[in-house]
Amino acid sequence: MPAGVSWGQYLKFISCALCTMLAGAQIVHMYYKPLEDLDKYIEKEMKDAQVRKSFNKDKIVS
C-alpha cells in the first residue's frame, strides 16, 4: 500500500471518504434541489431546438 499504510487503514479511509461523498451529494440535493425544475428546462431546450431547426430549414430553402 502507498506510504506504508496497512490494508485496514486504507479500506477504512476509502469507506469514510465514500460515505462522506455520498452524504454531501445528498445534502446538496436536499438543500438546493437541482432536479426540481428539470422538466421545465428540458421543455425549453426542446422548443429552442425546434426553433433553431426551423430557422435553419428556412435559411437553406431561401
Side-chain angles (χ1 to χ4, degrees):
M1 293 291 20
V5 178
S6 70
W7 274 102
Q9 288 176 329
Y10 185 74
L11 292 175
K12 204 182 308 183
F13 172 78
I14 293 296
S15 62
C16 286
L18 178 66
C19 289
T20 302
M21 180 180 64
L22 294 175
Q26 185 64 32
I27 288 171
V28 165
H29 280 268
M30 288 172 56
Y31 184 73
Y32 293 108
K33 300 181 193 287
L35 300 178
E36 194 170 88
D37 61 346
L38 185 62
D39 294 333
K40 293 176 190 174
Y41 179 74
I42 290 173
E43 269 186 49
K44 179 185 174 293
E45 288 298 319
M46 300 233 344
K47 286 179 184 176
D48 290 348
Q50 287 175 349
V51 168
R52 282 192 302 266
K53 186 177 179 181
S54 67
F55 178 73
N56 287 337
K57 189 177 187 181
D58 292 341
K59 194 174 181 182
I60 293 171
V61 172
S62 298

